[in-house]
Amino acid sequence: MRKRKWLNTGVALLAAVSLTLTGCGGKENGNLATGSASPAASAETTPSAAPNKDPIKLTMWGAVPAENGPQAVVDNWNKENPDIQVEYVRFVNDDAGNLKLDTALMSNQPVDMYVNYDFSLYEKRIKAGNALDLSPFADLNVDDKMGTGAALWKVEDKYYGVPTSKGLSFVWLNKDMLDAKGLPVPEEWGLDEFKQYANVLKGDKVWGAAQSDYYFNVPINGSMLKQSQYLTNADGVSAFDNPLTVKALQVYSDMMFQDKSLMPHTEQITSKPALDQMFVKGETAMLFSTQQIFRTTNNLKEYPRTFKVAAAPAPKVNKDQTDYINAGGLGDVLSINPHTKNPEAAWKFIKWYADIGMLPMAPGGRVPASKDFPADQAISLMFEGVEDTYDMDSIKRVMFGNKPLGLSRLDKKSGSEQQVIYDKIFSQKLTPEEGAKELARVHDKNLKAAQ
Amino acid sequence: MNWMQRQRLLGYVFIAPNLIGMTIFMLIPALFSFYLMFTDWVFANGQPPQFIGFGNFKRMIEDDLFAVSVRNTLLILIPVPISIMLGFLIAVMLNNRVYFQKTLRAFFFAPYFTSGIAIAFVWMVLFQPSSGPINAFLGSIGIADPPKWFASPDTAMYAVLIMMTAGGIGYNMIIYLAALQEISSEQLEAAKIDGATFGQLLRLIILPLVSPTTFFLMITGFIGSIKGFGMIYAITQGGPANSTTVFSIFAYKKAFNFYEMGYASAVSWTMFLLILGITLIQWAGQKKWVHY
């Protein structure tokens, strides 16, 4: 009987040990969660990046697949800097992938630097103490180097990450299809013209246009961005209920259900077509998306195509709109984890990455933001070996032009709840007028909740 | 240490890996989530959990999406008895002498050993509104405006129900086949000699004898359905317009889209209570129809 008790005690002890171990982990997490965002404390206790027998090891997390540039970046760095070796870890830039990164940041896994792609997540990481305040690193003036667009990434007037690339949304065009219909490459257009083009270009098993999921918000939000990054009116209430929103929703609805030139939205989100492949296969004449499509259009081996690719700016709601802000701006914001043991080494890498290091990212469509970056070199690398398959005039005009760019700071909850409303509008459960009111209602509700 | 004690020790050694795994990956997270459901904890915002009592439950009652998810969760219970019934009928058919018995058995069971996500994607293609084979067939027989299936808030849940019914048949069939093989042939022959028809055999002999199996399938089927997540999420993510949001998707979105771990824990424990309630009702009701 006594022995049995002993055995039971053993099992209980085993469980207790595992509990304690987990508890220890939890405690550490707790400390991390409330860790200071100030670099001063960690910098003081940090070993310097001076030459060392054992090289400093840094881990950088980013969402671009390693083979699309990042691996070449770290290989170049590691060759030049034997004392600081960087490893690249890829996370997928979706909810699950960002959760993985946030969990890694919270649980003291080796993350020395990471790339932010979304303002709300960036802001959240700052508030959670997971992004280092870069103010003490005085040897780089981010505003001066990256231009005025960088300030969009300031939180409480401080940088917690360095925006490294210029990104924007635009319309990819199958120039051969446009030529066949006698349509010029648009240099400036609104949704009416976009609709007209799609209607002319549609054909048997060819959509006139396709666009990334929920891209209707690009012209809608772009019409409000100038007055407020938070998409509000001067009085602080939601600006969504306006005639331009109604018009955008109506045009898209007509394209889906009247002209049948655009795949119905709910069909798209539930059948998940690979839009980039649709475009290179000639299954859609136009594709409204981002520059990440370069990964596909530049890869003629895996995605062969015979047509030329041209580009047009994102359509405004009305062609003559003067206060329109194009969705885009500076992005790929590289932050340092405050819990890194080597902030100086990480900073050294970031400066190099922004200035020259990200060159191998160019073929994947990454346009460097730094004014000191060898832009011509990046452009030639971007189109190396495939120049003839692009209408370079329109590509350069759109990608390197001087359109006003901006990013919205719409909160994630409103964005998510508005997706449900877009679903209802484009399954014809709500009229465009009702939809615009609903978009404003959920936005206002969340604005009030945040106060 | 005598033989008996050594045996006991050996028993503990054998269960230790599982016990440790269960404790670390199931028990501790479950207990932690029990604590979290009374807090407003948001993951990765740097704030410790604040105790808010039943605040999350109050919020749940006021949340329109919670009501939608309750309705949808109750709806996905419908495929359970239907797939049990179909599984039983196919098992009875395959238990008799039929041509291609083994091939048919493998055919019906195939969905069970295939990845649920792969099956979901097959259904996604089948139900594709503009180019899927189902709507092509409906069009060919003169239905001008066939349903949009997953792509419409009006029909997405029906498409889910069809997918889940079909998905459950194979497993139910195999379990029933095993149960049917256990029925003594003497009983069936005696009934036949007494002049029982096939219908009477089915109703009065076979069904009562496989009733423990039916009970098992009902319990596990309901639990599996309420917890159902992967196949629905793979296709619709709970949409369009939240029309296929069930409890598990609701909890997942709150936890992993918005990091609202306190609220998501409350939803998960409510789901547990629902499963427990339905299981207890079934358990109480079994006395009337399950014959051991």
Side-chain angles (χ1 to χ4, degrees):
Chain A
M1 194 66 183
R2 202 190 299 164
K3 297 273 183 187
R4 191 176 172 183
K5 267 187 185 172
W6 180 86
L7 280 172
N8 288 340
T9 313
V11 172
L13 204 64
L14 204 63
V17 168
S18 61
L19 271 167
T20 314
L21 285 174
T22 318
C24 286
K27 196 178 173 189
E28 201 171 13
N29 291 353
N31 287 340
L32 283 177
T34 53
S36 161
S38 160
S42 52
E44 276 169 18
T45 55
T46 300
S48 81
N52 196 325
K53 273 185 184 174
D54 294 323
I56 291 170
K57 285 186 179 160
L58 297 176
T59 306
M60 172 194 177
W61 285 47
V64 179
E67 65 276 16
N68 287 105
Q71 194 55 50
V73 170
V74 295
D75 287 348
N76 290 345
W77 167 269
N78 290 343
K79 217 180 287 171
E80 288 175 29
N81 298 274
D83 57 332
I84 304 170
Q85 294 291 289
V86 178
E87 186 194 352
Y88 181 75
V89 175
R90 198 228 171 172
F91 70 96
V92 180
N93 186 24
D94 59 9
D95 286 330
N98 280 297
L99 178 72
K100 190 177 160 188
L101 171 60
D102 284 325
T103 308
L105 287 168
M106 298 280 290
S107 57
N108 212 15
Q109 288 178 55
V111 185
D112 298 287
M113 298 166 282
Y114 58 92
V115 188
N116 298 280
Y117 302 93
D118 173 85
F119 183 82
S120 66
L121 284 167
Y122 168 72
E123 194 177 30
K124 202 178 180 87
R125 285 167 190 150
I126 293 166
K127 284 182 182 164
N130 287 327
L132 194 66
D133 172 9
L134 302 179
S135 315
F137 297 110
D139 55 339
L140 173 67
N141 184 330
V142 178
D143 292 307
D144 179 46
K145 180 152 292 216
M146 305 300 172
T148 48
L152 290 168
W153 293 93
K154 270 185 176 173
V155 173
E156 289 169 2
D157 214 30
K158 289 175 186 171
Y159 284 109
Y160 291 84
V162 178
T164 58
S165 77
K166 274 182 203 162
L168 75 160
S169 298
F170 58 90
V171 180
W172 297 74
L173 304 165
N174 182 323
K175 192 164 184 301
D176 292 14
M177 286 191 189
L178 261 71
D179 290 346
K181 300 282 182 184
L183 295 170
V185 174
E187 293 186 29
E188 201 69 64
W189 58 349
L191 282 176
D192 288 328
E193 293 76 23
F194 180 61
K195 175 178 179 283
Q196 195 188 342
Y197 265 60
N199 203 22
V200 173
L201 290 165
K202 75 180 180 196
D204 185 32
K205 294 188 178 173
V206 178
W207 293 102
Q211 54 178 24
S212 297
D213 291 351
Y214 298 101
Y215 247 47
F216 343 98
N217 66 18
V218 175
I220 291 173
N221 295 3
S223 302
M224 293 178 272
L225 261 177
K226 195 162 189 179
Q227 61 193 41
S228 160
Q229 268 184 290
Y230 295 92
L231 311 181
T232 53
N233 291 321
D235 55 2
V237 301
S238 173
F240 273 92
D241 187 11
N242 70 65
L244 293 173
T245 305
V246 175
K247 179 179 174 180
L249 296 173
Q250 187 65 57
V251 171
Y252 276 121
S253 190
D254 290 347
M255 288 174 76
M256 288 177 208
F257 304 111
Q258 238 175 47
D259 300 350
K260 299 188 192 303
S261 58
L262 180 72
M263 184 185 283
H265 158 69
T266 52
E267 191 173 326
Q268 178 170 316
I269 57 167
T270 51
S271 57
K272 304 171 180 49
L275 299 176
D276 55 342
Q277 292 180 37
M278 274 175 69
F279 179 65
V280 291
K281 283 179 188 167
E283 292 169 8
T284 178
M286 303 190 285
L287 174 59
F288 188 10
S289 189
T290 66
Q291 58 209 54
Q292 71 181 30
I293 302 298
F294 271 118
R295 285 186 211 164
T296 309
T297 52
N298 276 354
N299 187 349
L300 295 178
K301 203 172 166 189
E302 281 180 58
Y303 308 106
R305 62 182 161 84
T306 51
F307 64 89
K308 266 196 173 184
V309 173
K316 303 170 183 176
V317 177
N318 289 324
K319 189 179 175 181
D320 56 0
Q321 237 174 301
T322 50
D323 55 355
Y324 187 79
I325 303 288
N326 287 267
L330 302 192
D332 288 13
V333 181
L334 198 45
S335 290
I336 299 175
N337 181 354
H339 310 292
T340 178
K341 288 177 184 163
N342 303 291
E344 292 97 343
W347 178 245
K348 192 178 168 190
F349 175 84
I350 290 175
K351 280 191 299 175
W352 171 84
Y353 178 86
D355 262 350
I356 181 84
M358 65 178 289
L359 200 59
M361 307 285 278
R366 248 72 192 175
V367 181
S370 167
K371 69 179 170 61
D372 297 328
F373 204 94
D376 292 341
Q377 210 179 330
I379 294 167
S380 64
L381 200 61
M382 196 176 279
F383 300 104
E384 195 175 29
V386 290
E387 303 91 340
D388 297 344
T389 69
Y390 288 94
D391 173 50
M392 291 305 292
D393 288 346
S394 65
I395 296 275
K396 281 184 182 167
R397 192 168 53 233
V398 171
M399 287 189 64
F400 306 103
N402 52 2
K403 295 238 174 276
L405 297 176
L407 292 167
S408 97
R409 288 192 176 178
L410 183 69
D411 63 285
K412 194 176 177 189
K413 202 164 189 184
S414 292
S416 175
E417 290 179 0
Q418 287 185 342
Q419 288 189 353
V420 174
I421 295 161
Y422 286 124
D423 288 356
K424 287 182 181 168
I425 297 164
F426 297 117
S427 52
Q428 297 175 301
K429 296 267 161 210
L430 292 175
T431 63
E433 289 80 7
E434 291 166 341
K437 284 189 170 52
E438 274 295 284
L439 291 171
R441 186 188 62 79
V442 297
H443 187 207
D444 273 332
K445 183 192 75 180
N446 290 316
L447 285 170
K448 273 181 199 152
Q451 279 167 3
Chain B
M1 195 182 281
N2 61 30
W3 183 85
M4 196 61 194
Q5 286 164 338
R6 276 204 304 275
Q7 287 299 304
R8 277 208 195 99
L9 180 64
L10 202 62
Y12 282 115
V13 170
F14 276 123
I15 64 166
N18 211 341
L19 191 69
I20 294 168
M22 273 285 287
T23 307
I24 294 174
F25 296 112
M26 304 283 282
L27 187 62
I28 294 170
L31 292 175
F32 187 49
S33 79
F34 186 83
Y35 157 69
L36 284 182
M37 76 173 160
F38 300 110
T39 73
D40 63 351
W41 192 48
V42 177
F43 177 70
N45 76 345
Q47 301 299 318
Q50 295 289 326
F51 184 78
I52 55 165
F54 288 94
N56 283 325
F57 293 92
K58 186 172 171 280
R59 182 181 160 191
M60 211 187 300
I61 291 163
E62 291 163 358
D63 193 333
D64 293 342
L65 190 51
F66 176 73
V68 171
S69 72
V70 170
R71 191 201 66 195
N72 288 341
T73 304
L74 292 175
L75 275 176
I76 57 165
L77 297 181
I78 295 171
V80 177
I82 299 174
S83 68
I84 287 177
M85 201 167 68
L86 293 171
F88 174 71
L89 291 175
I90 294 167
V92 169
M93 183 185 83
L94 292 178
N95 197 40
N96 292 312
R97 284 182 188 164
V98 290
Y99 290 114
F100 309 115
Q101 191 184 38
K102 284 184 182 164
T103 313
L104 283 171
R105 202 181 295 173
F107 173 78
F108 283 113
F109 193 55
Y112 185 70
F113 58 75
T114 310
S115 153
I117 303 300
I119 295 170
F121 276 87
V122 170
W123 281 105
M124 192 175 85
V125 174
L126 291 174
F127 279 136
Q128 223 281 338
S130 54
S131 57
I134 291 177
N135 275 7
F137 168 74
L138 293 176
S140 71
I141 59 169
I143 297 173
D145 190 19
K148 302 273 187 292
W149 303 112
F150 290 120
S152 161
D154 295 329
T155 55
M157 203 57 208
Y158 296 113
V160 167
L161 297 183
I162 293 171
M163 177 176 75
M164 294 195 71
T165 304
I169 291 173
Y171 175 72
N172 295 339
M173 177 208 72
I174 284 287
I175 301 293
Y176 269 127
L177 264 178
L180 290 171
Q181 316 248 318
E182 290 296 309
I183 297 175
S184 118
S185 56
E186 284 90 346
Q187 277 176 298
L188 296 173
E189 278 166 25
K192 277 182 196 165
I193 291 164
D194 287 345
T197 62
F198 181 71
Q200 285 171 320
L201 272 181
L202 209 59
R203 194 164 49 86
L204 301 170
I205 310 278
I206 298 174
L207 266 177
L209 285 175
V210 298
S211 59
T213 303
T214 309
F215 179 59
F216 164 76
L217 291 174
M218 290 284 270
I219 295 269
T220 54
F222 279 137
I223 292 173
S225 266
I226 295 171
K227 284 165 67 186
F229 174 80
M231 287 168 78
I232 306 174
Y233 195 79
I235 300 179
T236 66
Q237 285 93 42
N242 287 327
S243 60
T244 57
T245 298
V246 291
F247 256 138
S248 50
I249 290 178
F250 181 57
Y252 176 88
K253 282 186 174 173
K254 293 296 170 195
F256 301 119
N257 288 11
F258 300 109
Y259 296 179
E260 293 178 3
M261 298 298 174
Y263 189 40
S265 297
V267 175
S268 300
W269 277 91
T270 307
M271 183 166 86
F272 166 75
L273 288 176
L274 181 74
I275 293 174
L276 185 69
I278 290 176
T279 307
L280 287 177
I281 291 168
Q282 290 185 89
W283 205 267
Q286 65 157 321
K287 290 173 198 152
K288 295 190 175 170
W289 63 276
V290 181
H291 305 275
Y292 289 102

